[in-house]
Amino acid sequence: MITSLGICVGATTVSAVQIEADGSPGVRTMDPASSPIRVRNRIVRPHGGDLQKTLSSVLGDMDLSDVRKIAATGRKFRHLINLPSISEPEAVEHAYRYTKPADVRCPAVISAGGETFMVYKLDDSGQISNVFTGNKCAAGTGEFFQQQLRRLDTSLDQVSAWSADVDPYPVSGRCSVFCKSDCTHATNKGIAKEKVVAGLGQMMAGKIIELLRHLDIRNVMLTGGTSQNQMMVQHLRSVLPGLIIPDHAPYYEALGAAFWALRQPDIRLPRIENLFIRHKDRFEKLAPLAKQRSRVEFKTLRRGRVRGGDVCLLGLDVGSTTTKAVLLRHSDSALLASIYLRTNGDPVGASRKCYAAIASQVEESIPLEQIHITGIGVCGSGRHIAGLHALTQGVINEITAHATAAVFFDGEVDTIFEIGGQDAKYTHITNGVPSDYAMNEACSAGTGSFLEESAWETMGIPMEEIAAVALQGFNLYELQQPGQRTPPGGR
């Protein structure tokens, strides 16, 4: 029995597959086509940007005592591993040879992964003759889909339990900003999450179908982690006759690497500390962020203690990602209570939670009935439904809200840059009045949700820790300076 190990280090996950083939242990190379093959073990695990830790944990969870044939694949990441490697298209070809149904010719293999969607056109011998890939926008990828589920406070398990007959709400696939906006506006209008998620699945299927527009669409094969997205798959099945999804789809490239390794000479898996190749950092180094503290001034309202008889105003910002509320005393604009929480695709529900939190903070000092709230102002992407729910006429856009707050703190201010959850805005103020503005309309890069999702998905850093981690950047910067060594306790 000969055992090989295939590893795929992808954009979002690390997958490893062990396969066994009948053969003499003394034979150094073999043709797996002539021997029965079975998958002994497989693991697919998100790496969160920490490839070394994740790959080490994956290998640690496998019995590798009899593995002597090993290969890796993956795009640029495979070059970081001290193992024989092949490209992803080569891995797809090797996996296809052993997973395609008998007597069926597949004209193409769809690789639907976390970061990109690709279509490999196959010739009659199963070799790749052309490759089609979408644009570089994240909208429609597997990682983007998972990010939107988190924004909607929904899990993959919940999605899989929803009915396949849900009527999809149409969302844009042109750009991730537009898609996020469509999802946010839909939930703000009370559209059920099931319909929004079904719309995301339909949009993802549309991305794949577009890549197939010049190919025979009968009996195409779907691989990649996104093949487990039933909302997407049901739309594909309605358009692509004979769609094939192999059991090994989530770890397809790793399987192909394992098949390729069977034909290669025996090697030993390097020790973990020798498994990764160290590359010199080629990125330009910027000055440490911590050295810019003196250029930043934070302005805030004076905190006050709530008193019986206070006349108060309530401010509510229902954003695409978060919802915030403040309680101000009318006489001196003192901040009496505040709350900041997730919208989770439910603007009215988030608003109610804000009201409850404000009331709880007030009641720590006095009964709520002893203060008088004479008005409520609402802004943000969910302002209309939240304002309707609150029965207030004080509904304004965020441009006006930003300008009003900025002028309150600095009467001479003329420029505002606001980084929101799904867009970023520039506002010009003339004599205390917003006179011009511009906002990003074609890309989510640089927005708050992009920063949060990139930090978490790529590096495993939660939103609450982004600032602290960024301010520690001087360690990496000073490492590049002459005479500097690794700081104690840091890297």
Side-chain angles (χ1 to χ4, degrees):
M1 186 68 68
I2 298 177
T3 304
S4 72
L5 173 68
I7 298 170
C8 179
V9 185
T12 59
T13 61
V14 170
S15 55
V17 180
Q18 286 176 287
I19 62 174
E20 292 179 340
D22 293 338
S24 171
V27 178
R28 296 180 61 82
T29 62
M30 64 169 294
D31 181 2
S34 63
S35 303
I37 303 289
R38 77 179 186 91
V39 175
R40 189 169 82 180
N41 195 6
R42 74 276 189 194
I43 296 177
V44 180
R45 191 166 292 168
H47 59 64
D50 195 336
L51 302 178
Q52 184 167 346
K53 179 180 178 181
T54 306
L55 181 54
S56 298
S57 70
V58 167
L59 297 179
D61 290 340
M62 287 184 155
D63 178 9
L64 305 176
S65 58
D66 60 345
V67 172
R68 293 294 180 267
K69 296 178 180 291
I70 310 169
T73 188
R75 286 188 293 167
K76 57 186 177 182
F77 296 125
R78 69 185 172 97
H79 300 298
L80 301 177
I81 303 176
N82 187 23
L83 290 173
S85 67
I86 59 174
S87 66
E88 282 185 317
E90 291 176 284
V92 168
E93 286 183 344
H94 285 282
Y96 171 77
R97 194 174 305 159
Y98 301 101
T99 58
K100 84 175 191 70
D103 303 323
V104 174
R105 179 189 174 273
C106 300
V109 173
I110 306 161
S111 177
E115 189 178 62
T116 56
F117 283 1
M118 304 182 73
V119 170
Y120 299 104
K121 181 182 178 181
L122 304 178
D123 61 20
D124 291 338
S125 65
Q127 300 294 304
I128 294 173
S129 61
N130 206 344
V131 179
F132 302 93
T133 182
N135 58 34
K136 298 300 181 181
C137 182
T141 63
E143 185 175 8
F144 179 82
F145 180 74
Q146 289 191 319
Q147 290 169 355
Q148 302 324 300
L149 293 189
R150 280 191 289 273
R151 284 163 60 88
L152 296 171
D153 194 28
T154 303
S155 68
L156 285 171
D157 290 339
Q158 288 177 287
V159 172
S160 62
W162 286 340
S163 170
D165 298 327
V166 174
D167 185 24
Y169 180 85
V171 298
S172 171
R174 174 186 172 189
C175 169
S176 59
V177 169
F178 297 160
C179 186
K180 289 181 183 180
S181 297
D182 286 346
C183 294
T184 298
H185 296 324
T187 54
N188 286 346
K189 293 187 294 185
I191 303 296
K193 292 182 182 180
E194 293 92 325
K195 293 186 175 183
V196 177
V197 173
L200 286 169
Q202 185 180 56
M203 179 269 291
M204 294 170 69
K207 292 271 189 177
I208 292 174
I209 294 168
E210 182 181 354
L211 293 177
L212 294 167
R213 64 184 181 277
H214 299 306
L215 301 176
D216 182 1
I217 62 173
R218 291 170 298 178
N219 301 324
V220 297
M221 181 179 291
L222 176 65
T223 69
T226 309
S227 64
Q228 307 304 296
N229 180 347
Q230 296 306 311
M231 289 288 191
M232 182 188 82
V233 169
Q234 66 172 335
H235 292 295
L236 289 176
R237 289 197 185 281
S238 67
V239 177
L240 306 178
L243 178 67
I244 301 166
I245 304 177
D247 294 338
H248 311 296
Y251 46 88
Y252 203 71
E253 285 82 359
L255 182 69
F259 281 128
W260 179 82
L262 281 175
R263 298 189 178 196
Q264 309 310 310
D266 291 0
I267 67 168
R268 288 186 177 274
L269 184 69
R271 295 173 63 88
I272 292 298
E273 57 268 25
N274 299 323
L275 186 57
F276 290 86
I277 302 172
R278 297 189 179 277
H279 285 251
K280 184 178 180 181
D281 194 351
R282 293 170 292 179
F283 290 102
E284 176 187 358
K285 301 298 184 297
L286 302 177
L289 189 62
K291 293 185 181 295
Q292 313 302 322
R293 287 178 181 268
S294 61
R295 304 179 63 180
V296 178
E297 180 183 358
F298 289 94
K299 293 181 179 292
T300 187
L301 292 172
R302 178 181 64 84
R303 279 275 180 177
R305 186 176 182 83
V306 64
R307 302 186 298 251
D310 277 345
V311 177
C312 304
L313 300 171
L314 185 66
L316 181 69
D317 174 22
V318 186
S320 62
T321 306
T322 58
T323 297
K324 292 77 67 177
V326 295
L327 183 68
L328 306 182
R329 186 160 47 220
H330 189 275
S331 60
D332 59 0
S333 298
L335 180 62
L336 304 180
S338 63
I339 184 63
Y340 187 109
L341 47 75
R342 296 274 182 179
T343 304
N344 287 331
D346 184 3
V348 172
S351 301
R352 295 176 67 130
K353 290 179 181 178
C354 283
Y355 303 147
I358 293 292
S360 177
Q361 293 176 41
V362 170
E363 290 177 335
E364 291 177 0
S365 301
I366 61 173
L368 185 63
E369 294 77 10
Q370 292 186 15
I371 67 170
H372 305 281
I373 300 177
T374 59
I376 174 172
V378 185
C379 68
S381 62
R383 62 187 180 275
H384 295 296
I385 190 169
L388 182 64
H389 174 262
L391 300 178
T392 178
Q393 296 181 352
V395 178
I396 60 175
N397 62 45
E398 51 265 45
I399 301 295
T400 303
H402 292 151
T404 303
V407 171
F408 175 87
F409 288 111
D410 183 353
E412 302 299 319
V413 67
D414 62 5
T415 302
I416 301 173
F417 290 106
E418 186 263 340
I419 309 300
Q422 69 182 25
D423 57 39
K425 304 183 188 69
Y426 154 78
T427 303
H428 181 66
I429 299 177
T430 303
N431 296 325
V433 177
S435 56
D436 194 13
Y437 83 96
M439 65 182 295
N440 66 323
E441 296 178 346
C443 184
S444 64
T447 63
S449 61
F450 175 86
L451 174 62
E452 177 186 357
E453 291 159 0
S454 297
W456 177 249
E457 297 291 342
T458 306
M459 295 173 283
I461 301 173
M463 179 189 69
E464 297 80 4
E465 298 179 15
I466 292 176
V469 171
L471 289 171
Q472 292 174 7
F474 70 88
N475 287 343
L476 298 178
Y477 174 81
E478 292 184 351
L479 280 176
Q480 311 303 318
Q481 308 309 305
Q484 294 290 332
R485 297 184 177 181
T486 303
R491 61 180 176 91

